[in-house]
Amino acid sequence: MNQDNTSPSQQPASYQHWRTDTDTDGVLWLTLDRAGEAVNSLGQAVLDELERIVTEVERKPPTGLVLMSGKPGSFIAGADVREFDQVPDAATARGYIMRVHALFDRIEALSCPTAVAFEGFCLGGGLELALCFNYRIARDVPATKIGFPEVQLGIYPGFGGSARTIHKLGGHRALPLILQARNLNARQARALGLVDQVIGRHEELRWAARRAVLAKKRSAGPDLQAQLANSAPARSALVPYIRKQTAAKAKPEHYPAPFALIDAFAAQGGNRRGLLNAEVDNVARLLTGDTSRNLRRVFGLMERLKAEGKGTDFKPARVHVVGAGVMGGDIAAWCALRGLEVTLQDRELALIEPALKRAQQLFRKRLRSPAKVAAASGRLRADVAGAGVARADVVIEAIFENLEAKQTLFRELEPKLRPHALLATNTSALQLRDLAAALARPERLIGLHFFNPVAQMPLVEVVYDPDLTDPAEAKRGAAVAAAIGKFPLPVKSRPGFLVNRVLAAYMVKALQLHKQGYSKEALDAAAERFGMPMGPVELADTVGLDVGLSVMRILAGDTQALEAELETYVTAGKKGKKTGEGLYRWQDGKPVKDANATQGADLDGLARQLIEPYLEECEAALAEGIVADADLLDAGMVFGTGFPPFRGGPLHYLRNRGPAAPPPPETAPIDRSADVSQEGEQP
Amino acid sequence: MNSLRRIAVIGGVRIPFSRANTAYADETNLDMLSAAIEAVVDRFGLAGVKIDELAAGAVTSHSKDWNLAREALLSTKLSPLTPGTTLQMACGTSLQAALLLGDRIASGAIDCAIAAGTDTASDAPIVFSRRFAQRLVQLSRARSLSERLQVFKGFNPSELTPQSPRNAEPRTGLSMGEHCERMAKQWSIGRAEQDQWALDSHQRAHAAWENGFFDRLVVPYAGATRDNNIRADSSLEQLAKLKPVFDKSGKGTLTAANSTPLTDGAAAVLLASEEWARARNLPVQAYITAGRTAAVDFVHDEGLLMAPTVAVAELLQRTGLALQDFDIYEIHEAFAAQVLCTLKAWNDDDYCRNRLGLERALGEIDRAKINPHGSSVAVGHPFAATGARILATLAEELEQRGSGRGLVSICTAGGMGTVAILERP
């Protein structure tokens, strides 16, 4: 237990969110412990109190001032995003930012030595506050994450963070950090200069901080490299490069924040005052703009999906996967990567070995350290005999799409399962009702529908049948997805569930338009211009035309003609990316596109035509109750199909795009010329 | 004084054991020991609790870890008011710690204790030669340039060669394996029986994992969820193909497979008086009813790892038990050959009369009762952690059986052996 270090001399000033204690050395220990919340964030009330404390410190400077967190294992997660939504207009935002700037400037100007000592999250506003102190100490534990996530919310650091970081590190180090919203560990942050000292897990923050303030340690100023990088000549070379790199990932018209920051750096270099003024203008404008609102909405949707995985005490430790094909193998590898113990079963070892090999590549790519790779490899074991079934908390079936085969397997599995074990199928084609018919306890079967490639796709559809499935099992399925770092989306067991159903409508439309004479390239460019991460034709090839065909058949829409055409591709062995040719020819994992094929196409009009069936299908799915509400649907489509986050989700987009953009009448393939210089993908 | 109290084993936990330079390549003794102690804290709800004494150690340790036990517990949720003693008795470390702490519980001096051990072969302390270290000390005292130059008089670059700890007996210069080869020859232990012993150990350990026996005894650590040395799929044919590693003359019988691998890991056990356990509502798994430590004169060519034969003989005499009066035997497998030599010696009239001072041989033991869940050849052997691993394993087994008596036997470097009896009435 911590001892109470308050000395009798200290005025018992009382704060709701802060504790202040003075020790025998005269060091003032300032502890942020935001009332009523598990995690510290810098809300208005927290900053108001800090202002009072700073006034007190200015009046009577202590020997040293140390800022720490009262939340075990974490520091400050950022500004209070919930308060952003209450900012009515840019003028109010400006006033708020200027007030924070003034407060942070005063902290930086304190006459006594100051230090921050932390572990866990030090993000956004928390890092900006830390940057006002003389010296920063971080504890090197896995939970320590240091960075600026702001651009993901459509703004950039506005509490002086952009100014202080660019000034200190130089634009060449600061801009990539902020633009990529990269989280650093303690050692990386020290290497970059954001943190001055790193201590190990068996050392104490408190004593390191005491040493720092008593020795009056100060973080070094900008090094020569930083000063050079911020100079006008270097900037003129650096800025176009960074702008190009950034534009390759996000279009300025979709995501203005990164470009506003780059422009501010181009104009100001390392000039702190200029950068601070730019923060006031830019961040106030961005914060109250549509993009940031929509991105904050998407952030909230993400939290909503994560919350779907909470509320059970189910903590899966062992997973058994049956079927070592592409999906089964990659699901097994992903579970092992995320720390679960996994057994992977197939008929013979030779069928499992390719999956183990792919898993090794995944482990090496994601974990880097040989020790971590060795540990992960130890967590994934081939299990031809199926010994893992009787020990597993979760059994996932991922064999080929055949009802009888799956039913036979379920009959074999069921008597071997532990009483609490979760039984899931990765089917995308079959209905739970039919599969579960083989079980003595059909209510226990759920679907865990992963998307290919498993390592890249964040969404998992948790499939249930409202007339059959035990809701507790679906809840536990969501907990499994959350435990492996995926976003669970509960969906009803109906053909195509949510994601495939909507994507199919969209791809069918694209293929129909293609048949009418629009080039593949124009269709893809139009979708990307709308903000989709990948055009529909390229997507069809990437998913595999055979897979697409089977989805179309499941959905049993009015698409016989298209199906017949796709069939000719598939039978000719042109299944898409995986065979080297589909609708496109593929080279080095990329489709070969004719740059001239988009000439003259009305991409905006085309995009509207393409997206219309997508939106219609979303509305139909909502009306049928495939997902519980519009927010969940939007969440699913953003994280399952990459629907442009800056648009806030398809239904949100539909309700907010206004009457200005009705679906255009079908236009001729070749229309007015259009500027198609902006191509590329979003992250 | 009061009469002696019973020493209760509440239970133990370890982290998975990992072959050197695999999953724990980045972990230190301090990291792993903290993790093992924390696992005991979590299992028995000891967060914030003051334990009367914690004793732990490591064999391969850095000089900076001079207060290892205390530093490790400060990195756990235990009350920081818990004292920690760092001690070391080679491979017997954590069993010896348990016996010493157990006696203090029995005497009434303390009510609860944690015995623990850790070892790493992946973070070996590497130091300069004695000669160069002395120069550095002199350099720090030198005041003038000429004095400083004087320090490096006669300097030889070979002094800079880093010295890593050798896995050899300081007095004989022979490695543990070389000593065990000599024992195997002396007792005529063949290659085939060693391989068979090793294979059994692996299969038993694998079965223990598969049937969930280790579920309560092992907690995941640093991404590892299981011991990574256990090979369920090997066969006698495969083992027979391996080349001897210590005696390469063609007469050697010890291979990488029938010897313990260099291993990283840690284990901890909670001991208590019955009153303390009752007050905290913790069930007792078993009681430590006797312990004994002995040594052999290996310098004059007694078998280096034969001391447990002596310790067990003395323990049996003092308790009036026969070697066959046990339901389970947990005999640490430094090498398969070491166990086989020990068993053969106990069954040898000549050895038992002349060396152990008994009237006749102690006799045979049923193989099925020895190491029912495998032992060090399979799960690995982080030296100082092995005693706590075995205590926890045996206590768990006794609890599952409901009642019984078990014998623990551990041989150590330096020709020592430490043994104990666990009972569950």
Short mmCIF file of all heavy atoms in Angstrom, two decimals, chain A residues 1 139 201-204 317-318 339-341 369-372 374-376 378-379 381 387-388 391 418, chain B residues 22-26 28 30-31 34 71 74-75 80 206 209-212 215 221-226:
data_model
loop_
_atom_site.label_atom_id
_atom_site.label_comp_id
_atom_site.label_asym_id
_atom_site.label_seq_id
_atom_site.Cartn_x
_atom_site.Cartn_y
_atom_site.Cartn_z
N MET A 1 0.84 -1.20 0.00
CA MET A 1 0.00 0.00 0.00
C MET A 1 0.87 1.25 0.00
O MET A 1 1.91 1.29 0.64
CB MET A 1 -0.90 0.01 1.25
CG MET A 1 -2.00 -1.03 1.21
SD MET A 1 -3.34 -0.60 0.08
CE MET A 1 -2.96 -1.63 -1.32
N ARG A 139 8.19 3.64 -18.14
CA ARG A 139 8.54 2.30 -17.70
C ARG A 139 8.36 1.34 -18.87
O ARG A 139 7.32 1.34 -19.53
CB ARG A 139 7.62 1.90 -16.55
CG ARG A 139 8.11 0.71 -15.80
CD ARG A 139 7.16 0.44 -14.66
NE ARG A 139 7.83 -0.27 -13.59
CZ ARG A 139 7.23 -0.58 -12.46
NH1 ARG A 139 6.00 -0.20 -12.24
NH2 ARG A 139 7.87 -1.25 -11.54
N ARG A 201 11.00 -3.06 -15.59
CA ARG A 201 9.80 -3.40 -14.82
C ARG A 201 10.11 -3.65 -13.35
O ARG A 201 9.22 -3.67 -12.53
CB ARG A 201 9.06 -4.59 -15.43
CG ARG A 201 9.90 -5.82 -15.65
CD ARG A 201 9.00 -7.00 -15.94
NE ARG A 201 8.23 -7.32 -14.76
CZ ARG A 201 8.05 -8.56 -14.31
NH1 ARG A 201 8.57 -9.57 -14.95
NH2 ARG A 201 7.35 -8.79 -13.22
N HIS A 202 11.38 -3.88 -13.02
CA HIS A 202 11.71 -4.08 -11.61
C HIS A 202 12.24 -2.80 -10.96
O HIS A 202 12.79 -2.83 -9.87
CB HIS A 202 12.73 -5.20 -11.47
CG HIS A 202 12.28 -6.49 -12.10
ND1 HIS A 202 11.26 -7.24 -11.60
CD2 HIS A 202 12.69 -7.12 -13.23
CE1 HIS A 202 11.07 -8.30 -12.37
NE2 HIS A 202 11.92 -8.24 -13.37
N GLU A 203 12.12 -1.67 -11.67
CA GLU A 203 12.53 -0.38 -11.09
C GLU A 203 11.29 0.46 -10.79
O GLU A 203 10.20 0.14 -11.25
CB GLU A 203 13.45 0.36 -12.07
CG GLU A 203 14.75 -0.38 -12.33
CD GLU A 203 15.55 0.28 -13.45
OE1 GLU A 203 16.27 1.23 -13.17
OE2 GLU A 203 15.42 -0.18 -14.59
N GLU A 204 11.47 1.55 -10.06
CA GLU A 204 10.31 2.31 -9.58
C GLU A 204 10.27 3.71 -10.19
O GLU A 204 11.23 4.47 -10.12
CB GLU A 204 10.37 2.43 -8.05
CG GLU A 204 10.38 1.10 -7.33
CD GLU A 204 9.07 0.32 -7.47
OE1 GLU A 204 8.03 0.92 -7.80
OE2 GLU A 204 9.11 -0.92 -7.26
N ALA A 317 -8.92 -20.25 -23.51
CA ALA A 317 -7.48 -20.43 -23.48
C ALA A 317 -7.04 -21.41 -24.57
O ALA A 317 -5.95 -21.29 -25.10
CB ALA A 317 -7.03 -20.95 -22.11
N ARG A 318 -7.91 -22.37 -24.89
CA ARG A 318 -7.52 -23.40 -25.87
C ARG A 318 -8.55 -23.47 -26.98
O ARG A 318 -9.75 -23.56 -26.74
CB ARG A 318 -7.40 -24.75 -25.18
CG ARG A 318 -6.09 -24.93 -24.44
CD ARG A 318 -5.98 -26.32 -23.86
NE ARG A 318 -6.76 -26.40 -22.65
CZ ARG A 318 -6.25 -26.21 -21.42
NH1 ARG A 318 -4.97 -25.95 -21.28
NH2 ARG A 318 -7.01 -26.30 -20.37
N GLY A 339 -2.10 -15.41 -28.65
CA GLY A 339 -1.81 -15.91 -27.32
C GLY A 339 -2.58 -17.15 -26.90
O GLY A 339 -2.35 -17.67 -25.81
N LEU A 340 -3.50 -17.62 -27.74
CA LEU A 340 -4.24 -18.82 -27.35
C LEU A 340 -3.45 -20.07 -27.73
O LEU A 340 -2.60 -20.04 -28.61
CB LEU A 340 -5.61 -18.85 -28.05
CG LEU A 340 -6.52 -17.66 -27.76
CD1 LEU A 340 -7.86 -17.83 -28.44
CD2 LEU A 340 -6.71 -17.48 -26.26
N GLU A 341 -3.77 -21.16 -27.03
CA GLU A 341 -3.15 -22.43 -27.35
C GLU A 341 -4.04 -23.13 -28.36
O GLU A 341 -5.24 -23.28 -28.13
CB GLU A 341 -3.03 -23.26 -26.07
CG GLU A 341 -2.03 -24.37 -26.18
CD GLU A 341 -1.93 -25.16 -24.88
OE1 GLU A 341 -2.17 -24.59 -23.80
OE2 GLU A 341 -1.63 -26.35 -24.98
N SER A 369 10.58 -10.64 -32.66
CA SER A 369 11.56 -11.20 -31.73
C SER A 369 11.55 -12.73 -31.82
O SER A 369 10.49 -13.35 -31.78
CB SER A 369 11.25 -10.75 -30.31
OG SER A 369 11.20 -11.85 -29.43
N PRO A 370 12.73 -13.34 -31.98
CA PRO A 370 12.80 -14.80 -32.10
C PRO A 370 12.17 -15.51 -30.90
O PRO A 370 11.58 -16.57 -31.05
CB PRO A 370 14.30 -15.09 -32.16
CG PRO A 370 14.93 -13.80 -32.60
CD PRO A 370 14.06 -12.70 -32.09
N ALA A 371 12.30 -14.91 -29.70
CA ALA A 371 11.71 -15.54 -28.52
C ALA A 371 10.19 -15.58 -28.64
O ALA A 371 9.56 -16.60 -28.34
CB ALA A 371 12.12 -14.77 -27.26
N LYS A 372 9.61 -14.48 -29.12
CA LYS A 372 8.15 -14.45 -29.25
C LYS A 372 7.69 -15.40 -30.34
O LYS A 372 6.63 -16.03 -30.23
CB LYS A 372 7.68 -13.02 -29.55
CG LYS A 372 7.83 -12.11 -28.34
CD LYS A 372 7.18 -10.77 -28.60
CE LYS A 372 7.34 -9.87 -27.38
NZ LYS A 372 7.74 -8.51 -27.76
N ALA A 374 9.22 -18.14 -31.17
CA ALA A 374 9.35 -19.49 -30.60
C ALA A 374 8.15 -19.80 -29.71
O ALA A 374 7.59 -20.90 -29.75
CB ALA A 374 10.65 -19.61 -29.81
N ALA A 375 7.74 -18.83 -28.90
CA ALA A 375 6.61 -19.04 -28.00
C ALA A 375 5.33 -19.26 -28.81
O ALA A 375 4.55 -20.17 -28.52
CB ALA A 375 6.45 -17.86 -27.06
N ALA A 376 5.13 -18.45 -29.86
CA ALA A 376 3.92 -18.59 -30.67
C ALA A 376 3.91 -19.95 -31.38
O ALA A 376 2.87 -20.61 -31.44
CB ALA A 376 3.84 -17.45 -31.69
N GLY A 378 5.15 -22.59 -30.34
CA GLY A 378 4.82 -23.59 -29.33
C GLY A 378 3.33 -23.64 -29.04
O GLY A 378 2.83 -24.65 -28.53
N ARG A 379 2.63 -22.55 -29.33
CA ARG A 379 1.19 -22.51 -29.03
C ARG A 379 0.34 -23.17 -30.11
O ARG A 379 -0.83 -23.41 -29.91
CB ARG A 379 0.73 -21.05 -28.85
CG ARG A 379 1.30 -20.36 -27.63
CD ARG A 379 0.57 -19.07 -27.32
NE ARG A 379 0.75 -18.05 -28.34
CZ ARG A 379 1.70 -17.13 -28.34
NH1 ARG A 379 2.59 -17.11 -27.36
NH2 ARG A 379 1.77 -16.23 -29.29
N ARG A 381 -0.17 -26.38 -32.51
CA ARG A 381 0.30 -27.75 -32.73
C ARG A 381 -0.62 -28.49 -33.69
O ARG A 381 -1.84 -28.34 -33.65
CB ARG A 381 0.36 -28.50 -31.39
CG ARG A 381 1.55 -28.07 -30.53
CD ARG A 381 1.55 -28.74 -29.19
NE ARG A 381 0.39 -28.33 -28.43
CZ ARG A 381 -0.47 -29.16 -27.87
NH1 ARG A 381 -0.29 -30.46 -27.97
NH2 ARG A 381 -1.50 -28.70 -27.20
N ALA A 387 -6.85 -34.92 -30.53
CA ALA A 387 -6.80 -35.00 -29.06
C ALA A 387 -7.20 -33.67 -28.42
O ALA A 387 -7.66 -33.64 -27.28
CB ALA A 387 -5.39 -35.38 -28.61
N GLY A 388 -7.03 -32.59 -29.18
CA GLY A 388 -7.31 -31.27 -28.62
C GLY A 388 -8.79 -31.00 -28.37
O GLY A 388 -9.15 -30.12 -27.59
N ARG A 391 -10.03 -31.05 -24.84
CA ARG A 391 -9.41 -30.08 -23.94
C ARG A 391 -9.81 -28.66 -24.29
O ARG A 391 -9.50 -27.72 -23.57
CB ARG A 391 -7.88 -30.19 -24.04
CG ARG A 391 -7.35 -31.55 -23.68
CD ARG A 391 -6.84 -31.60 -22.28
NE ARG A 391 -5.73 -30.69 -22.08
CZ ARG A 391 -5.55 -29.97 -20.98
NH1 ARG A 391 -6.43 -30.02 -20.03
NH2 ARG A 391 -4.50 -29.19 -20.86
N ARG A 418 -15.97 -30.60 -24.00
CA ARG A 418 -16.16 -30.29 -22.58
C ARG A 418 -17.52 -29.61 -22.45
O ARG A 418 -18.00 -28.97 -23.38
CB ARG A 418 -15.06 -29.34 -22.10
CG ARG A 418 -13.68 -29.93 -22.19
CD ARG A 418 -12.64 -28.85 -22.06
NE ARG A 418 -12.20 -28.68 -20.68
CZ ARG A 418 -11.34 -27.74 -20.29
NH1 ARG A 418 -10.87 -26.88 -21.17
NH2 ARG A 418 -10.95 -27.66 -19.06
N THR B 22 14.95 -20.19 -26.33
CA THR B 22 13.73 -20.24 -27.14
C THR B 22 12.77 -19.18 -26.60
O THR B 22 13.07 -17.99 -26.70
CB THR B 22 13.09 -21.65 -27.13
OG1 THR B 22 12.75 -22.03 -25.79
CG2 THR B 22 14.04 -22.68 -27.71
N ALA B 23 11.66 -19.60 -26.00
CA ALA B 23 10.62 -18.64 -25.63
C ALA B 23 11.07 -17.62 -24.59
O ALA B 23 10.55 -16.51 -24.54
CB ALA B 23 9.38 -19.39 -25.13
N TYR B 24 12.04 -17.98 -23.74
CA TYR B 24 12.44 -17.06 -22.67
C TYR B 24 13.80 -16.41 -22.94
O TYR B 24 14.47 -15.97 -22.02
CB TYR B 24 12.47 -17.78 -21.31
CG TYR B 24 11.16 -18.41 -20.89
CD1 TYR B 24 11.13 -19.41 -19.94
CD2 TYR B 24 9.95 -17.98 -21.43
CE1 TYR B 24 9.94 -20.00 -19.54
CE2 TYR B 24 8.75 -18.56 -21.05
CZ TYR B 24 8.75 -19.57 -20.10
OH TYR B 24 7.57 -20.14 -19.71
N ALA B 25 14.17 -16.35 -24.20
CA ALA B 25 15.49 -15.80 -24.53
C ALA B 25 15.64 -14.37 -24.01
O ALA B 25 16.75 -13.92 -23.71
CB ALA B 25 15.72 -15.85 -26.03
N ASP B 26 14.53 -13.64 -23.91
CA ASP B 26 14.61 -12.24 -23.45
C ASP B 26 14.27 -12.08 -21.97
O ASP B 26 14.18 -10.96 -21.48
CB ASP B 26 13.64 -11.37 -24.27
CG ASP B 26 13.95 -11.41 -25.75
OD1 ASP B 26 15.14 -11.60 -26.09
OD2 ASP B 26 13.03 -11.27 -26.57
N THR B 28 14.73 -12.65 -17.77
CA THR B 28 15.80 -12.79 -16.78
C THR B 28 15.30 -13.64 -15.62
O THR B 28 14.10 -13.89 -15.48
CB THR B 28 16.21 -11.42 -16.23
OG1 THR B 28 15.10 -10.86 -15.51
CG2 THR B 28 16.59 -10.46 -17.35
N LEU B 30 15.09 -12.64 -12.62
CA LEU B 30 14.21 -11.79 -11.83
C LEU B 30 12.80 -11.79 -12.42
O LEU B 30 11.80 -11.88 -11.71
CB LEU B 30 14.80 -10.38 -11.79
CG LEU B 30 14.21 -9.36 -10.83
CD1 LEU B 30 14.12 -9.91 -9.42
CD2 LEU B 30 15.04 -8.07 -10.85
N ASP B 31 12.72 -11.70 -13.76
CA ASP B 31 11.42 -11.73 -14.44
C ASP B 31 10.69 -13.04 -14.13
O ASP B 31 9.50 -13.03 -13.77
CB ASP B 31 11.61 -11.66 -15.97
CG ASP B 31 12.16 -10.34 -16.45
OD1 ASP B 31 11.95 -9.32 -15.77
OD2 ASP B 31 12.81 -10.32 -17.51
N SER B 34 9.70 -13.62 -10.39
CA SER B 34 8.53 -12.79 -10.08
C SER B 34 7.27 -13.44 -10.61
O SER B 34 6.24 -13.49 -9.94
CB SER B 34 8.63 -11.40 -10.70
OG SER B 34 9.83 -10.79 -10.39
N GLU B 71 13.95 -8.83 -4.27
CA GLU B 71 13.63 -8.02 -5.45
C GLU B 71 12.47 -8.63 -6.22
O GLU B 71 11.59 -7.92 -6.71
CB GLU B 71 14.85 -7.86 -6.35
CG GLU B 71 15.97 -7.00 -5.78
CD GLU B 71 15.54 -5.55 -5.56
OE1 GLU B 71 14.61 -5.09 -6.24
OE2 GLU B 71 16.12 -4.89 -4.68
N LEU B 74 9.12 -8.04 -4.62
CA LEU B 74 8.69 -6.63 -4.72
C LEU B 74 8.04 -6.35 -6.09
O LEU B 74 7.36 -5.35 -6.25
CB LEU B 74 9.87 -5.69 -4.50
CG LEU B 74 10.31 -5.53 -3.03
CD1 LEU B 74 11.56 -4.68 -2.94
CD2 LEU B 74 9.19 -4.92 -2.19
N SER B 75 8.30 -7.21 -7.06
CA SER B 75 7.65 -7.05 -8.36
C SER B 75 6.35 -7.85 -8.45
O SER B 75 5.83 -8.04 -9.53
CB SER B 75 8.61 -7.47 -9.48
OG SER B 75 9.63 -6.51 -9.63
N PRO B 80 4.65 -5.70 0.31
CA PRO B 80 6.09 -5.39 0.32
C PRO B 80 6.71 -5.59 1.70
O PRO B 80 7.92 -5.46 1.85
CB PRO B 80 6.14 -3.92 -0.12
CG PRO B 80 4.78 -3.38 0.15
CD PRO B 80 3.82 -4.53 0.05
N HIS B 206 3.84 -35.96 -21.60
CA HIS B 206 2.88 -35.58 -22.64
C HIS B 206 1.46 -35.96 -22.20
O HIS B 206 0.52 -35.16 -22.32
CB HIS B 206 3.23 -36.26 -23.96
CG HIS B 206 2.24 -35.98 -25.05
ND1 HIS B 206 2.17 -34.76 -25.69
CD2 HIS B 206 1.26 -36.74 -25.59
CE1 HIS B 206 1.20 -34.79 -26.58
NE2 HIS B 206 0.63 -35.98 -26.54
N TRP B 209 0.07 -33.59 -19.71
CA TRP B 209 -0.45 -32.36 -20.34
C TRP B 209 -1.80 -32.62 -20.98
O TRP B 209 -2.74 -31.83 -20.85
CB TRP B 209 0.54 -31.83 -21.38
CG TRP B 209 1.56 -30.92 -20.81
CD1 TRP B 209 2.89 -31.15 -20.64
CD2 TRP B 209 1.33 -29.60 -20.30
NE1 TRP B 209 3.50 -30.07 -20.07
CE2 TRP B 209 2.57 -29.10 -19.85
CE3 TRP B 209 0.20 -28.79 -20.18
CZ2 TRP B 209 2.71 -27.83 -19.28
CZ3 TRP B 209 0.33 -27.53 -19.62
CH2 TRP B 209 1.58 -27.06 -19.18
N GLU B 210 -1.88 -33.75 -21.71
CA GLU B 210 -3.11 -34.03 -22.46
C GLU B 210 -4.29 -34.29 -21.53
O GLU B 210 -5.42 -33.97 -21.86
CB GLU B 210 -2.89 -35.22 -23.40
CG GLU B 210 -1.94 -34.93 -24.54
CD GLU B 210 -2.45 -33.82 -25.46
OE1 GLU B 210 -3.55 -33.95 -26.00
OE2 GLU B 210 -1.73 -32.81 -25.63
N ASN B 211 -4.02 -34.93 -20.37
CA ASN B 211 -5.17 -35.21 -19.50
C ASN B 211 -5.43 -34.08 -18.49
O ASN B 211 -6.26 -34.22 -17.61
CB ASN B 211 -5.04 -36.57 -18.82
CG ASN B 211 -3.87 -36.62 -17.84
OD1 ASN B 211 -3.52 -35.61 -17.23
ND2 ASN B 211 -3.27 -37.78 -17.69
N GLY B 212 -4.71 -33.00 -18.65
CA GLY B 212 -5.03 -31.82 -17.84
C GLY B 212 -4.38 -31.80 -16.46
O GLY B 212 -4.66 -30.92 -15.66
N ASP B 215 -2.79 -28.54 -15.53
CA ASP B 215 -3.57 -27.30 -15.68
C ASP B 215 -3.47 -26.36 -14.49
O ASP B 215 -3.37 -25.15 -14.64
CB ASP B 215 -5.04 -27.62 -15.95
CG ASP B 215 -5.26 -28.11 -17.38
OD1 ASP B 215 -4.26 -28.15 -18.12
OD2 ASP B 215 -6.39 -28.43 -17.74
N TYR B 221 3.27 -18.03 -19.57
CA TYR B 221 4.20 -16.94 -19.30
C TYR B 221 4.94 -16.58 -20.59
O TYR B 221 5.37 -17.47 -21.32
CB TYR B 221 5.20 -17.36 -18.22
CG TYR B 221 6.27 -16.32 -17.96
CD1 TYR B 221 5.93 -15.08 -17.41
CD2 TYR B 221 7.60 -16.54 -18.30
CE1 TYR B 221 6.88 -14.11 -17.20
CE2 TYR B 221 8.56 -15.56 -18.09
CZ TYR B 221 8.21 -14.36 -17.54
OH TYR B 221 9.15 -13.39 -17.35
N ALA B 222 5.07 -15.29 -20.83
CA ALA B 222 5.80 -14.77 -21.99
C ALA B 222 5.38 -15.48 -23.27
O ALA B 222 6.20 -15.77 -24.13
CB ALA B 222 7.31 -14.88 -21.78
N GLY B 223 4.09 -15.78 -23.36
CA GLY B 223 3.58 -16.39 -24.57
C GLY B 223 3.66 -17.91 -24.58
O GLY B 223 3.07 -18.56 -25.43
N ALA B 224 4.43 -18.49 -23.64
CA ALA B 224 4.52 -19.95 -23.61
C ALA B 224 3.35 -20.50 -22.80
O ALA B 224 3.02 -19.96 -21.74
CB ALA B 224 5.84 -20.38 -22.98
N THR B 225 2.72 -21.55 -23.31
CA THR B 225 1.60 -22.14 -22.59
C THR B 225 1.93 -23.56 -22.12
O THR B 225 1.22 -24.12 -21.30
CB THR B 225 0.34 -22.19 -23.47
OG1 THR B 225 0.70 -22.82 -24.71
CG2 THR B 225 -0.17 -20.80 -23.76
N ARG B 226 2.99 -24.15 -22.66
CA ARG B 226 3.37 -25.53 -22.33
C ARG B 226 4.88 -25.64 -22.27
O ARG B 226 5.58 -24.85 -22.86
CB ARG B 226 2.92 -26.46 -23.45
CG ARG B 226 1.51 -26.92 -23.39
CD ARG B 226 1.38 -28.09 -24.34
NE ARG B 226 0.04 -28.60 -24.35
CZ ARG B 226 -0.27 -29.87 -24.60
NH1 ARG B 226 0.67 -30.74 -24.86
NH2 ARG B 226 -1.52 -30.26 -24.59
#
